[in-house]
Amino acid sequence: MADDLPLLFGLLLVAAAGTATVLVRDPVRQSFLLSLLGLALALVFLLLQAPDVALSQLAVGSALTPLMVLLSVRKVRRKARGERREEHE
């Protein structure tokens, strides 16, 4: 039972981060929580003795995906700002 405590903690962290990501409305905060979720999943994969999957999750789930979300949000907000300026002119 004591051997399962780190895995249980990791799974609880994954559940909490996933739930928080879904419940938060702001895309910037969602990307931060998505990064935290990726880190938690990487930890779980590491505890399950899958270091190759953990490294992939670390790169994609906690770095690339949140970065893509942030860049997309930035582009959409810039475009919306530009359209609002054109309406006022």
Side-chain angles (χ1 to χ4, degrees):
M1 181 68 187
D3 294 338
D4 295 335
L5 284 178
L7 183 59
L8 181 63
F9 174 73
L11 290 173
L12 287 173
L13 188 61
V14 166
T19 303
T21 303
V22 171
L23 293 178
V24 169
R25 294 281 216 192
D26 181 35
V28 175
R29 288 188 178 142
Q30 280 180 336
S31 65
F32 172 75
L33 290 168
L34 188 62
S35 180
L36 182 65
L37 176 62
L39 288 171
L41 281 169
L43 174 68
V44 168
F45 291 139
L46 194 60
L47 291 171
L48 291 173
Q49 298 178 358
D52 53 338
V53 180
L55 283 173
S56 298
Q57 177 62 35
L58 195 60
V60 175
S62 61
L64 284 176
T65 304
L67 179 63
M68 295 295 289
V69 169
L70 284 174
L71 291 174
S72 299
V73 167
R74 182 175 142 192
K75 185 167 186 165
V76 167
R77 286 183 178 171
R78 270 191 184 171
K79 193 170 190 176
R81 248 187 277 146
E83 288 175 0
R84 274 189 266 144
R85 283 186 192 149
E86 290 175 5
E87 289 175 5
H88 292 298
E89 292 177 356

